[in-house]
């Protein structure tokens, strides 16, 4: 048992942080505020192999695991250059296709994931389903050798940047007549697919969309893997999503803590750096502890997932996502408080991080649903919903 990362991952972290820092938080905010994207950074990360670290080697990737990819995500966020599409495209979509896609799907998509040239969105959330995947109403019906897809999705990230969307729908079980979940790859230029931007009070380079599927016709090979393995396929993507969500929050927390610490060292009141006062230093020290604890749980979740323990990874990934989100919220709030009025000045970039950190309590699964999971599965309490 070891509580330190291998040298290769430590070196990867250092290289990724240096790349993100060469662009910096100011670059990210400028892109976000102008309605732009982080295309230059994404393309550079793809060329260097950082986006494809978890793609199998035979498809041009690094052959690593979700632990390596989550480290990349954390370092970009810690450098002030978060890329939300990392949580979706290489973590969820590439993982699902790598584990469950047909050989044809792997050959077609995975080399692009390895280089970052392919970007794929993920669509599960619906207006009336929320966290209850059993209430999904987006359905696909057989039509000759293909499929016809109808339905609606909401809060889907990065559709305007994506080549395709991995859609969680439902189809009829031929044996029972009941609806069962199924996953489909839908190109973003498909006739009948409409994407409408959702106005958000977030300073983010990654946009949110509502999707409308109106008799979208798909070929037979749009179905991912087997119709009967959809539940396993879905959860193969959701555990990495939670691990990446935790890493995203950890990076934000580190960035906020670093900025608060540096400010506390140089800002003087009555000729004394404010960091010398326990009213400033103790809250920052507590946040450092919380970040390190959340990071350990995130690494444990990644290690369990990469070892093939999906059930164990589910518990740890939920706990990691919860702990990291709480740490990020505290870190950003204390960073703002440490800066005083400067904490809300655009020059310091902390105000924009308030909403970004708060998202961690909501997505990719709400704080309350995490607690429901822990209560039921970890403590054995009766199901509450």
């Amino acid at each position: 048992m070891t509580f330190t990362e291998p040298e290769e991952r430590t070196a990867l972290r250092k290289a990724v942080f240096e790349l993100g820092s060469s662009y910096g938080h100011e670059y990210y905010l400028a892109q976000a505020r102008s309605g732009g994207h982080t295309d230059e950074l994404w393309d550079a990360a793809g060329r260097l192999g950082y986006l494809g670290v978890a793609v199998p080697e035979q498809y041009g990737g690094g052959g690593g695991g979700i632990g390596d990819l989550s480290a990349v995500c954390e370092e970009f966020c810690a450098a002030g250059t978060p890329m939300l599409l990392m949580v979706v495209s290489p973590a969820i979509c590439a993982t699902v296709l790598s584990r469950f896609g047909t050989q044809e799907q792997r050959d077609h998509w995975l080399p692009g994931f390895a280089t970052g040239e392919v970007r794929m969105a993920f669509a599960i959330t619906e207006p009336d389903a929320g966290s209850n995947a059993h209430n999904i109403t987006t359905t696909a019906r057989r039509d000759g050798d293909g499929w016809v897809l109808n339905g609606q999705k909401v809060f889907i990230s990065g559709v305007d940047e994506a080549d395709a969307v991995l859609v969680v729908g439902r189809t009829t079980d031929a044996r029972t007549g009941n609806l069962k979940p199924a996953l489909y790859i839908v190109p973003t230029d498909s006739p009948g697919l409409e994407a409408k931007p959702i106005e958000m009070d977030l300073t983010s380079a990654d946009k949110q969309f509502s999707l409308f599927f109106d008799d979208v016709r798909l070929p037979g090979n749009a179905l991912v893997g087997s119709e009967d393995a959809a539940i396993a396929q879905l959860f193969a993507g959701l555990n990495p999503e939670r691990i990446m969500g935790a890493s995203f929050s950890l990076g934000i927390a580190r960035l906020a803590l670093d900025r608060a610490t540096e400010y506390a060292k140089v800002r003087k009141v009555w000729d004394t750096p404010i960091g010398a006062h326990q009213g400033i230093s103790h809250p920052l020290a507590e946040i450092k502890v919380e970040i390190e604890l959340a990071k350990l749980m995130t690494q444990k979740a990644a290690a369990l997932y990469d070892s093939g323990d999906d059930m164990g990874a589910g518990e740890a990934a939920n706990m990691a996502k919860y702990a990291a989100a709480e740490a990020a919220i505290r870190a950003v709030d204390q960073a703002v408080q440490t800066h005083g009025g400067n904490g809300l000045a655009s020059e310091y970039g902390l105000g924009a991080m308030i909403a970004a950190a708060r998202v961690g309590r909501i997505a990719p699964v709400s704080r309350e649903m995490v607690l429901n999971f822990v209560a039921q599965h970890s403590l054995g309490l009766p199901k509450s919903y």
Side-chain angles (χ1 to χ4, degrees):
M1 182 179 292
T2 177
F3 295 96
T4 58
E5 292 183 314
E7 291 182 8
E8 294 83 358
R9 188 178 296 173
T10 300
L12 174 65
R13 283 183 177 275
K14 182 175 183 293
V16 171
F17 185 82
E18 288 176 352
L19 175 62
S21 298
S22 71
Y23 285 81
H25 195 46
E26 291 69 25
Y27 157 82
Y28 179 83
L29 290 176
Q31 297 301 107
R33 287 167 176 160
S34 66
H37 298 296
T38 54
D39 292 332
E40 300 92 344
L41 177 58
W42 180 278
D43 293 342
R47 287 193 301 270
L48 292 168
Y50 300 152
L51 301 178
V53 292
V55 175
E57 290 182 353
Q58 62 264 42
Y59 299 102
I66 197 65
D68 300 305
L69 187 61
S70 65
V72 172
C73 178
E74 181 187 333
E75 295 305 320
F76 275 132
C77 292
T81 53
M83 293 185 286
L84 184 58
L85 203 57
M86 272 200 69
V87 179
V88 178
S89 187
I92 302 175
C93 301
T95 297
V96 169
L97 290 175
S98 178
R99 286 186 61 176
F100 294 99
T102 64
Q103 192 60 56
E104 178 187 4
Q105 289 167 344
R106 292 175 185 149
D107 291 340
H108 179 78
W109 292 106
L110 291 182
F113 282 119
T115 62
E117 294 175 86
V118 163
R119 306 186 200 190
M120 188 177 289
F122 178 67
I124 182 172
T125 306
E126 294 186 2
D128 297 320
S131 297
N132 186 359
H134 298 289
N135 282 350
I136 286 176
T137 59
T138 297
T139 55
R141 59 176 174 81
R142 285 280 189 183
D143 184 45
D145 294 332
W147 301 88
V148 176
L149 187 66
N150 284 280
Q152 180 181 352
K153 299 291 183 179
V154 68
F155 294 117
I156 310 305
S157 305
V159 177
D160 56 334
E161 304 175 68
D163 303 284
V165 184
L166 182 60
V167 178
V168 181
R170 303 177 80 186
T171 189
T172 302
D173 189 321
R175 293 169 297 178
T176 66
N178 297 327
L179 291 176
K180 59 182 179 180
L183 278 64
Y184 299 89
I185 301 172
V186 183
T188 50
D189 60 358
S190 298
L193 171 58
E194 182 183 7
K196 290 186 176 181
I198 301 173
E199 293 297 324
M200 303 287 291
D201 286 336
L202 284 171
T203 305
S204 175
D206 298 278
K207 308 301 184 290
Q208 300 295 312
F209 293 85
S210 292
L211 297 183
F212 301 88
F213 304 91
D214 185 9
D215 285 339
V216 176
R217 296 189 174 275
L218 302 171
N221 62 5
L223 176 70
V224 174
S226 166
E227 287 185 54
D228 298 322
I231 285 291
Q233 294 169 180
L234 178 57
F235 282 97
L238 294 184
N239 280 338
E241 182 186 37
R242 283 153 174 70
I243 294 168
M244 292 290 283
S247 297
F248 201 93
S249 290
L250 281 171
I252 291 175
R254 284 174 50 195
L255 175 63
L257 181 60
D258 286 348
R259 297 218 164 173
T261 302
E262 289 305 310
Y263 190 83
K265 290 177 182 177
V266 300
R267 172 69 168 137
K268 292 184 178 181
V269 177
W270 294 296
D271 297 325
T272 303
I274 61 174
H277 303 300
Q278 293 174 353
I280 297 293
S281 65
H282 281 190
L284 297 180
E286 288 174 353
I287 290 164
K288 174 63 175 176
V289 172
E290 292 169 11
I291 289 174
E292 292 302 319
L293 293 174
K295 189 171 183 176
L296 277 174
M297 182 55 80
T298 303
Q299 291 170 338
K300 176 182 178 180
L304 288 170
Y305 183 83
D306 288 335
S307 73
D309 184 358
D310 287 343
M311 183 58 69
E315 178 185 55
N318 274 290
M319 290 181 174
K321 183 265 176 192
Y322 176 97
E326 298 302 308
I329 289 171
R330 282 208 62 199
V332 172
D333 184 70
Q334 190 59 41
V336 171
Q337 193 69 21
T338 300
H339 282 73
N342 284 333
L344 296 177
S346 297
E347 174 186 355
Y348 292 84
L350 291 171
M353 293 171 62
I354 296 174
R358 189 61 178 77
V359 169
R361 273 189 180 167
I362 303 169
V365 62
S366 72
R367 178 179 184 271
E368 290 72 24
M369 288 305 294
V370 169
L371 294 175
N372 282 338
F373 180 95
V374 172
Q376 181 182 343
H377 295 283
S378 303
L379 301 180
L381 294 173
K383 189 174 182 178
S384 61
Y385 58 93

